Amino acid sequence: MPTIANPNRTIHRRTRSRYTLFTLAFKNVLRRKGIATLALLGIGLGSALIITLLALAGALSHNLDRTVSALAGRIVVSPKDALLGGMYFSTGTPLPAGDLAMVRRIPAVREAYGRVTAILRPSDPMVLLPLAGYSRQEVEGTAGNPFKSIVEGHAPTIMEYPMTSCGCFECILSMLSEANGFMIVNREHSGMTPSGMTFSTLAGTIGGGAQMPGFMGIGKAYINSPKFVPADGGLPRVVWMPKALKEQLRPQLEEACAYWGLDKDFLGKIADETVGTTGEEILPFLEEKGHPALTMDSLI
């Protein structure tokens, strides 16, 4: 008669064998604590590094997608030889007069400048616009003349299309809605401003390449320039600046007043910290002096 193996006995032997192997491994770990510790640290650090790299890659991908999505449907137009693509500096070859006249003839364009970074919305997103600064032959030689597809264009404005600021600006331009104008504060001025913030607080808000409606980082020479926020009204919009800055730029500002058609006493109409550091404090002064910003079109 054949012998039948006891199934319970077989299971017992397998369990005992596994238990013995686990015990042997555990005892070896205890005998070589240094090697075991190093091995566990290596595994832990390797796993942490992989998780960190995966998280970093995911964050970079998300930020890239968000940036690209924000730029969808927008085309930056600048001179083809401009530094850094004209994103931060108005450099490069100006737009030829003939091309500038052609742009001005487009019905939807209110004004055009020879050299300015602008954001354009083409009627056909597949159309590639030539960059400002190309020759007339290059412009007219493009199929279909892409200039005809421009439906909207803007020079930098403080509310809709403020220039980006990297953080190295000398002054900050800020809108004061109660005065329908702008205040300017320079880096050297440490006091409070009518915006309710000091220069350092403002700089922390608009730096890093951000576009913040109502704020713009600028240089001192830009204040005297004919290109000083022309789409917003230019120099007549300035209602407040520190007294020291006003005196430092007085000769240049007096020349700029002539360009903007302002009276010689316009600088006396600009309030400073001796008048007040809030909108409520400077508004009566502006009304008394008859500041032109109060009668200009609303900024908002």
Side-chain angles (χ1 to χ4, degrees):
M1 184 174 182
T3 304
I4 300 176
N6 188 345
N8 295 329
R9 194 170 189 178
T10 302
I11 294 174
H12 175 73
R13 286 179 178 176
R14 290 179 179 175
T15 304
R16 183 178 180 182
S17 176
R18 291 177 180 175
Y19 179 77
T20 302
L21 182 61
F22 175 78
T23 303
L24 180 61
F26 185 72
K27 287 182 177 180
N28 285 333
V29 170
L30 294 180
R31 288 174 59 190
R32 297 177 175 82
K33 295 180 181 179
I35 297 176
T37 301
L38 291 176
L40 291 175
L41 286 176
I43 295 173
L45 290 175
S47 301
L49 181 60
I50 292 175
I51 294 173
T52 302
L53 291 176
L54 290 176
L56 181 60
L60 291 175
S61 177
H62 174 72
N63 290 335
L64 180 61
D65 290 342
R66 185 174 58 182
T67 301
V68 173
S69 298
L71 295 176
R74 295 185 176 186
I75 299 175
V76 176
V77 177
S78 61
K80 63 179 180 180
D81 55 347
L83 182 63
L84 298 179
M87 289 295 293
Y88 302 104
F89 304 98
S90 182
T91 58
T93 306
L95 188 69
D99 296 343
L100 192 59
M102 182 174 62
V103 174
R104 287 197 178 108
R105 288 197 297 270
I106 301 174
V109 174
R110 290 179 295 181
E111 186 53 84
Y113 301 91
R115 183 168 58 192
V116 62
T117 298
I119 296 176
L120 306 177
R121 294 188 178 92
S123 58
D124 183 358
M126 299 304 294
V127 171
L128 297 178
L129 297 178
L131 298 181
Y134 279 67
S135 67
R136 176 188 294 272
Q137 291 75 19
E138 291 174 301
V139 172
E140 295 179 349
T142 54
N145 194 347
F147 278 130
K148 295 180 180 179
S149 298
I150 300 176
V151 296
E152 183 179 356
H154 290 277
T157 62
I158 196 169
M159 286 302 298
E160 294 184 89
Y161 299 96
M163 294 185 293
T164 58
S165 305
C166 65
C168 56
F169 37 76
E170 296 178 302
C171 303
I172 295 176
L173 186 71
S174 174
M175 184 188 73
L176 296 179
S177 58
E178 58 268 47
N180 196 37
F182 302 143
M183 57 144 274
I184 302 174
V185 58
N186 55 317
R187 189 177 293 272
E188 295 82 2
H189 184 75
S190 59
M192 186 57 64
T193 69
S195 67
M197 294 178 280
T198 61
F199 179 92
S200 58
T201 303
L202 287 167
T205 303
I206 70 173
Q211 284 182 296
M212 299 295 294
F215 303 90
M216 187 185 299
I218 61 175
K220 293 179 181 179
Y222 180 61
I223 305 173
N224 315 315
S225 170
K227 297 182 180 180
F228 178 66
V229 287
D232 287 320
L235 188 61
R237 286 285 188 183
V238 179
V239 298
W240 189 95
M241 69 168 59
K243 184 177 181 179
L245 178 63
K246 191 192 306 185
E247 294 304 319
Q248 178 187 1
L249 300 179
R250 180 173 291 276
Q252 296 89 339
L253 288 174
E254 289 177 349
E255 293 181 6
C257 286
Y259 173 82
W260 292 101
L262 299 169
D263 297 334
K264 294 182 179 180
D265 62 344
F266 173 73
L267 296 183
K269 299 178 181 180
I270 300 177
D272 53 40
E273 68 273 21
T274 63
V275 176
T277 55
T278 66
E280 293 77 10
E281 291 175 346
I282 68 172
L283 189 56
F285 172 85
L286 300 175
E287 292 174 344
E288 178 185 351
K289 296 295 184 179
H291 197 289
L294 300 178
T295 58
M296 298 175 70
D297 294 338
S298 176
L299 285 170
I300 303 177

